[in-house]
Amino acid sequence: MLGILLAGLRRSSVALDAKAKNKKGGKGEAKAGKDKQAPGAMPAGEKAPKMKKENTDVTGEDPQEIIANVKEKMGKTVENTREALGAIRTGRPSPKMFDKVMVSAYDAETPLPQLATVSIQSASSVMISPFDPSTLGDIEKGILKSELNLTPSNDGATIRINIPPLTTETRAQFAKQASSVAEDGKVALRNIRRTGVEAIRKLEKGSSPISEDESKALQDQVQKLTDKCSTELSDLAKAKEKELNTV
């Protein structure tokens, strides 16, 4: 009787162990499946490209210097926004989509465009030619580790990549990214306008004070510059959205 009971306990223990292993294996398989991305899909956790942060504080000892400073800072903001929008990928290949790809080469993290030329081969393919052939493998790894969700093909001399068309959902998500980048640029413009106006008002009480009418004219000039650059950012975002929706 005791032998029968012991045998039953052993069988139960084996069954429980097997069930636990199967459950553990199932979780691993589920996780692996979750990590897999469909061609053209947006990688999990991909974020909108960040603009370069510029100092928005306007300074100047006279009206001309202040206005020149405002123009310079607003111009940089427009260019930084243009660059960030260019880094948002579309269904069509563009060299700019590789600007943010970092490559571990020569014991340092280096942007891919500093290590190779990126050329468009067709409406759906790109070829990457390294300046130094020894970095070919490093470039390939950098692309695989990036958030572009692309599969490079290394032929020993160059890397070729086919760009899959974006899904409808991904196009919508990237359009939201473009809108967010443009809004960040507009926030920077408003900050420049604010500090520009503050700098102008300080001149009203300076050693060589300007008149109230001159101060208002300068502030209006700053507002016009803000409106002009803000319109440019809106146009850039619309152009990007149109590009994203072009199949």
Side-chain angles (χ1 to χ4, degrees):
M1 186 71 175
L2 182 58
I4 293 173
L5 288 172
L6 289 173
L9 287 172
R10 289 193 191 97
R11 285 195 297 272
S12 297
S13 178
V14 170
L16 287 171
D17 288 343
K19 185 176 181 181
K21 288 179 180 178
N22 288 335
K23 187 176 181 181
K24 185 176 180 181
K27 285 184 178 179
E29 291 169 4
K31 184 177 181 181
K34 184 178 179 181
D35 292 339
K36 190 175 182 181
Q37 296 286 341
M42 181 177 180
E46 182 167 347
K47 300 177 181 179
K50 296 296 183 182
M51 288 197 327
K52 291 179 182 176
K53 289 187 178 181
E54 298 283 352
N55 184 353
T56 58
D57 293 337
V58 175
T59 58
E61 299 297 326
D62 56 61
Q64 291 75 22
E65 189 176 352
I66 290 173
I67 295 300
N69 200 345
V70 168
K71 287 181 178 179
E72 179 186 3
K73 289 181 181 296
M74 288 191 175
K76 284 184 179 179
T77 297
V78 172
E79 288 310 307
N80 289 343
T81 304
R82 191 192 309 276
E83 181 181 329
L85 288 171
I88 298 176
R89 65 189 180 93
T90 65
R92 295 186 176 188
S94 167
K96 285 188 174 293
M97 65 191 296
F98 297 95
D99 285 356
K100 304 296 183 182
V101 175
M102 301 303 293
V103 179
S104 296
Y106 308 120
D107 298 322
E109 289 290 314
T110 307
L112 189 151
Q114 294 183 19
L115 298 171
T117 57
V118 180
S119 55
I120 307 304
Q121 297 298 292
S122 70
S124 61
S125 65
V126 172
M127 183 172 73
I128 298 174
S129 305
F131 303 132
D132 178 359
S134 69
T135 62
L136 189 65
D138 297 324
I139 293 172
E140 181 181 17
K141 290 176 184 176
I143 295 169
L144 288 170
K145 288 194 301 181
S146 73
E147 295 181 333
L148 289 176
N149 193 26
L150 298 173
T151 304
S153 176
N154 183 342
D155 64 8
T158 60
I159 291 175
R160 296 179 184 275
I161 302 174
N162 287 323
I163 310 297
L166 299 179
T167 64
T168 301
E169 180 184 2
T170 303
R171 289 179 190 277
Q173 288 174 313
F174 283 150
K176 287 181 180 179
Q177 283 191 359
S179 178
S180 176
V181 167
E183 183 56 35
D184 287 344
K186 291 179 181 180
V187 169
L189 290 178
R190 290 195 288 269
N191 287 335
I192 295 168
R193 177 191 62 191
R194 175 178 54 78
T195 60
V197 169
E198 290 173 355
I200 290 169
R201 285 175 177 165
K202 285 181 181 179
L203 294 181
E204 295 179 21
K205 301 176 181 179
S207 56
S208 300
I210 61 174
S211 68
E212 187 175 331
D213 287 343
E214 188 177 1
S215 175
K216 185 164 187 319
L218 290 169
Q219 291 179 47
D220 288 344
Q221 190 174 349
V222 170
Q223 184 61 54
K224 288 178 181 178
L225 288 170
T226 305
D227 294 341
K228 175 178 176 293
C229 291
S230 182
T231 299
E232 284 187 59
L233 296 189
S234 295
D235 291 343
L236 287 172
K238 288 177 184 177
K240 188 66 180 186
E241 185 175 351
K242 182 178 179 181
E243 185 182 3
L244 283 163
N245 291 323
T246 300
V247 180

